[in-house]
C-alpha cells in the first residue's frame, strides 16, 4: 500500500537506527524527511522515498527550515509522524563529567527533541498523527557512568508520559521506544569518547574510576557485539510509527525487555547487585 501522500520526519538519520528506520518507512510507502547534519550524509541516505534534510535539532534555524519545508510541501502531503531519534552518548562518572558535557547531552537528547516536537505539533494536530520518542534501556536503568545519558533519557520518558496525556484527548498519539544493545555507530563513538575521557582524568580520578571506566568500555563493546542489528531495531520503530493502535512503549532486544521488567519489580538494592554482577566480568583484572 502506498502512503506517498503522508510525510514522516526521522531525526538523527545519518547512520544506524535512524538511517535504517528512514529506509524501512520508505519501503513501506511513506515519504521520509530524513534529518542529517552533513551534506555528505544527505547524499549517502538519499533514495526513492527518502528525502534528506539538514537538521541539527539544537539549531533553531534548521528546525524552522524543516517546518517551512513541510508547510510548503509541493504535493500538499500531511505529516503522519515524527520520530525523535537523534542522540549522543558521553559516559563518565558524575563526579568527573564537566558541566558543559552534561548540558550538551541534555541539549541533544532532551531539549532538541522538545524543540522539534513543539515546532511540528501543529501539523500533527491537523493530521491526528503520532510522536515516537526513541528513549533507551538507560531511560529505565541507570548504570554507573551513564548518569548524564540516563538522566536525559529518564527525562525524555517523563516528558513523553506528560505529552501522551496532554495530546491523547486531541487525537495525537505518543509512543516511546526503548532499545537495549543495538549495533550502531553511536555506541562506537561513545566508546571512543569514553577512552579519550579517561586519559583526561586527573591522577586521583584515574585511580578512583579508571578500572570502572575500563569495565564500562569492555561491557559496552561486548554489549554492542551481541546486540540486535540496526535493521531489526528499525522494524520495531517503523511498527511503532505506523500500526493503527500502537502500545505506549516498545522495547528492542531481549536485554531491554528483561531489564525494564526487573526495574519495575526489584528493590533498588537488588537492582544494584544485578548491575554490579553484570559489570564484574568486564573489569581489567577479572
Amino acid at each position: 500500500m502506498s502512503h506517498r501522500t503522508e510525510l514522516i520526519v526521522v531525526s538523527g538519520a545519518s547512520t544506524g537506527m535512524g538511517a535504517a528506520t528512514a529506509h524501512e518507512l520508505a519501503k513501506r510507502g511513506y515519504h521520509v524527511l530524513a534529518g542529517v547534519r552533513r551534506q555528505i550524509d544527505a547524499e549517502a541516505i538519499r533514495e526513492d522515498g527518502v528525502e534528506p534534510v539538514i537538521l541539527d535539532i539544537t539549531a533553531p534555524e534548521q528546525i524552522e527550515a524543516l517546518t517551512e519545508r513541510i508547510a510548503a510541501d509541493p504535493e500538499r502531503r500531511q505529516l503522519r509522524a515524527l520520530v525523535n531519534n537523534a542522540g549522543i552518548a558521553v559516559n563518565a562518572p558524575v563526579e568527573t563529567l564537566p558541566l558543559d558535557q552534561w548540558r550538551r547531552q541534555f541539549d541533544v537528547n532532551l531539549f532538541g527533541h522538545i524543540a522539534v516536537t513543539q515546532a511540528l505539533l501543529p501539523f500533527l494536530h491537523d493530521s491526528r498523527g503520532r510522536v515516537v520518542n526513541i528513549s533507551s534501556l538507560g531511560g529505565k536503568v541507570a548504570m554507573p557512568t551513564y548518569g548524564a545519558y540516563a538522566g536525559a533519557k529518564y527525562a525524555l520518558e517523563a516528558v513523553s508520559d506528560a505529552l501522551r496525556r496532554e495530546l491523547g484527548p486531541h487525537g495525537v498519539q505518543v509512543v516511546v521506544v526503548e532499545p537495549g544493545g543495538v549495533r550502531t555507530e553511536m555506541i562506537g563513538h561513545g566508546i571512543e569518547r569514553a577512552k579519550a575521557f579517561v586519559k583526561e582524568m586527573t591522577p586521583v580520578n584515574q585511580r578512583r574510576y579508571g578500572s570502572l571506566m575500563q569495565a564500562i568500555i569492555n561491557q559496552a563493546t561486548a554489549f554492542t557485539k551481541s546486540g540486535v542489528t540496526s535493521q531489526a531495531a528499525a522494524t520495531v520503530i517503523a511498527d511503532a510509527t505506523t500500526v493503527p493502535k500502537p502500545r505506549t512503549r516498545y522495547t528492542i532486544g531481549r536485554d531491554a525487555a528483561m531489564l525494564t521488567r526487573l526495574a519495575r519489580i526489584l528493590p533498588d538494592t537488588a537492582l544494584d547487585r544485578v548491575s554490579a554482577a553484570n559489570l564484574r566480568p568486564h573489569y581489567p583484572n577479572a
Side-chain angles (χ1 to χ4, degrees):
M1 178 179 177
S2 176
H3 297 276
R4 286 289 191 256
T5 58
E6 297 176 292
L7 300 173
I8 295 180
V9 170
V10 180
S11 68
S14 297
T15 59
M17 289 191 303
T21 298
H23 291 305
E24 177 63 26
L25 289 168
K27 190 188 305 179
R28 297 186 187 196
Y30 296 92
H31 187 86
V32 181
L33 299 179
V36 299
R37 295 184 62 196
R38 303 179 303 168
Q39 194 60 43
I40 189 172
D41 297 322
E43 297 311 316
I45 197 172
R46 190 188 303 275
E47 67 169 24
D48 184 38
V50 178
E51 176 187 338
V53 293
I54 300 299
L55 180 63
D56 178 340
I57 64 171
T58 67
E61 69 279 4
Q62 293 184 12
I63 297 174
E64 183 178 357
L66 174 62
T67 63
E68 292 172 354
R69 162 64 186 85
I70 296 169
D73 186 76
E75 298 184 29
R76 298 184 179 180
R77 291 170 288 205
Q78 284 192 309
L79 181 64
R80 164 70 179 271
L82 163 64
V83 181
N84 284 314
N85 172 72
I88 59 172
V90 181
N91 288 85
V94 171
E95 182 179 2
T96 66
L97 188 64
L99 277 178
D100 64 332
Q101 293 292 324
W102 281 85
R103 292 189 178 101
R104 175 62 177 162
Q105 190 107 240
F106 273 74
D107 277 344
V108 176
N109 291 353
L110 178 65
F111 299 129
H113 296 316
I114 294 172
V116 175
T117 301
Q118 288 179 335
L120 300 193
L121 269 175
F123 301 109
L124 295 173
H125 280 297
D126 289 342
S127 66
R128 298 174 73 84
R130 187 174 304 173
V131 178
V132 180
N133 286 331
I134 309 303
S135 178
S136 168
L137 169 59
K140 294 295 187 182
V141 181
M143 300 288 287
T145 78
Y146 282 82
Y149 179 81
K153 292 297 187 180
Y154 266 68
L156 183 62
E157 295 264 355
V159 170
S160 299
D161 284 342
L163 192 64
R164 185 181 69 251
R165 291 157 187 159
E166 292 163 2
L167 297 179
H170 304 287
V172 178
Q173 300 165 317
V174 178
V175 179
V176 173
V177 179
E178 298 162 341
V182 180
R183 299 197 291 273
T184 69
E185 288 84 347
M186 188 188 81
I187 300 296
H189 295 327
I191 290 171
E192 292 308 311
R193 289 192 196 101
K195 290 178 179 178
F197 191 81
V198 172
K199 295 178 181 177
E200 296 171 1
M201 283 183 178
T202 66
V204 170
N205 283 333
Q206 284 187 350
R207 289 193 297 272
R208 188 173 291 153
Y209 297 115
S211 294
L212 171 63
M213 286 292 291
Q214 188 58 55
I216 289 292
I217 290 168
N218 293 343
Q219 184 188 52
T221 302
F223 197 52
T224 304
K225 288 179 180 177
S226 64
V228 302
T229 64
S230 293
Q231 181 54 49
T235 300
V236 176
I237 297 170
D239 287 345
T241 305
T242 61
V243 295
K245 295 182 179 180
R247 304 196 300 268
T248 58
R249 278 175 170 79
Y250 292 77
T251 57
I252 296 177
R254 286 180 293 180
D255 54 339
M258 179 183 70
L259 286 172
T260 53
R261 290 193 186 99
L262 287 178
R264 289 197 296 268
I265 61 176
L266 288 181
D268 289 343
T269 52
L271 201 58
D272 290 348
R273 289 194 292 271
V274 170
S275 171
N278 285 338
L279 193 55
R280 194 173 298 121
H282 300 285
Y283 274 87
N285 59 352

